[in-house]
Amino acid sequence: MVSRGTDERTLSVHNEHEFLLKMEKAELTSSLAQRVVDSKGNDLAKKVVRLIENGGFEPSTSQKRAREIMGRNMFGVEEAIRHFGVNPGRRELALLAEVPWSEEVITVHKDTHILIAVFSLSVLDVRGIAKKLADPEILFYNQDWYDKQAFAEDRGEIGWQLVRKTPIANSTNKSWNEQQALLKDEETPTARIVVQTVVGHFLATGERLFEKIWVRCSDLDSGGDRVCLGGFDAQGLSVGSYWDGTRCVDFGLSASRKS
């Protein structure tokens, strides 16, 4: 890999000029600019770039603490802005300002769950976003059976979710009712929540969840069969539906922590 030389430029002269004009209109003074120039390790400039990447979003104290605990297993507002292209308004940011679980609960789940800021995006919305990404990996398997399904069009509500990275233990080869009996302080999330988690986490970290297994979600398709997701290999995430009585060694149960 060839590293970028220190003299190599990434901005055109026009870009630089327009950027400086915008910054001056935002009351950037000579003394403030010098503070950026003098900052140790170019720290202030890096913070400005991160702020721009995050659409101007600054995380709350609750979100910062959650990130310290969860590390790469957190897909927060910043990641949703960067990877899903969302543009949250004041109401959405207010709803996400506080992570609803205690630090103790988050710590217990830091290795087994993804803490995700779920936005009002449907399965079809996320698939549409994925198609626009200049990424060599295929994110969704080529299917159209669910294009007109209500579960795939549902945008749901905004909020935090703690979604399990693997199926509930011992949930494979069981019917839906048998799987539900295994839940304690968790519940089965909708397909849109699981899709945002699986696709978002992959875009942010490169880790594929449910690569060789499928998980049931809470939704039903128009025929009354249970929606399931999985097989998230290089051919993309697959979406299917099966009778609740089906027992299969490849079918587990998705789960998210109750708030």
Side-chain angles (χ1 to χ4, degrees), residues 3-258:
S3 61
R4 179 181 294 168
T6 56
D7 295 330
E8 186 177 340
R9 309 298 294 273
T10 58
L11 297 178
S12 68
V13 173
H14 175 73
N15 284 152
E16 291 177 348
H17 177 68
E18 291 296 313
F19 179 76
L20 285 174
L21 286 178
K22 292 289 186 181
M23 295 299 287
E24 287 174 357
K25 287 182 179 179
E27 301 184 359
L28 175 69
T29 63
S30 177
S31 61
L32 290 176
Q34 191 61 45
R35 287 171 62 181
V36 175
V37 173
D38 295 338
S39 67
K40 186 176 181 179
N42 206 24
D43 185 58
L44 279 179
K46 291 176 181 177
K47 288 182 178 179
V48 171
V49 171
R50 283 197 296 269
L51 190 63
I52 295 171
E53 285 181 335
N54 296 339
F57 168 75
E58 296 184 76
S60 66
T61 301
S62 174
Q63 292 167 356
K64 289 178 181 177
R65 181 58 185 141
R67 187 172 296 280
E68 290 174 358
I69 297 171
M70 295 297 296
R72 74 196 298 268
N73 283 337
M74 179 171 174
F75 188 88
V77 177
E78 304 98 312
E79 286 81 11
I81 292 171
R82 189 176 307 134
H83 297 293
F84 289 160
V86 299
N87 183 24
R90 289 184 179 180
R91 176 183 172 277
E92 292 171 307
L93 293 177
L95 289 171
L96 293 168
E98 294 296 319
V99 177
W101 297 278
S102 67
E103 290 187 12
E104 290 74 18
V105 170
I106 295 174
T107 300
V108 168
H109 295 83
K110 68 183 181 69
D111 296 320
T112 57
H113 290 61
I114 302 295
L115 176 61
I116 178 172
V118 174
F119 280 84
S120 296
L121 297 171
S122 69
V123 172
L124 296 178
D125 288 335
V126 177
R127 192 183 69 179
I129 292 167
K131 287 181 178 179
K132 297 177 183 178
L133 296 176
D135 194 297
E137 299 288 346
I138 299 174
L139 295 178
F140 280 83
Y141 187 69
N142 187 19
Q143 298 171 289
D144 60 9
W145 76 266
Y146 57 89
D147 285 2
K148 301 297 183 181
Q149 291 285 323
F151 79 85
E153 297 175 336
D154 175 40
R155 289 193 167 95
E157 298 180 353
I158 189 172
W160 288 101
Q161 294 282 337
L162 261 174
V163 181
R164 187 175 283 273
K165 296 175 68 175
T166 57
I168 283 284
N170 302 314
S171 64
T172 57
N173 208 27
K174 288 181 171 62
S175 69
W176 167 258
N177 288 337
E178 291 168 341
Q179 290 174 335
Q180 290 298 295
L182 299 174
L183 295 173
K184 295 179 180 178
D185 55 0
E186 294 180 293
E187 58 191 358
T188 308
T190 61
R192 59 176 286 272
I193 291 173
V194 178
V195 164
Q196 287 189 46
T197 303
V198 171
V199 174
H201 184 65
F202 174 74
L203 290 174
T205 69
E207 180 183 10
R208 291 184 185 272
L209 306 179
F210 311 129
E211 185 173 5
K212 297 180 180 179
I213 199 165
W214 291 62
V215 288
R216 281 184 169 117
C217 303
S218 62
D219 313 76
L220 298 175
D221 68 8
S222 58
D225 289 330
R226 190 72 51 183
V227 176
C228 55
L229 307 167
F232 187 37
D233 55 19
Q235 296 186 57
L237 181 66
S238 294
V239 180
S241 63
Y242 294 87
W243 174 54
D244 277 353
T246 301
R247 294 180 178 87
C248 180
V249 294
D250 295 326
F251 283 0
L253 183 68
S254 61
S256 59
R257 183 66 157 78
K258 293 179 180 178

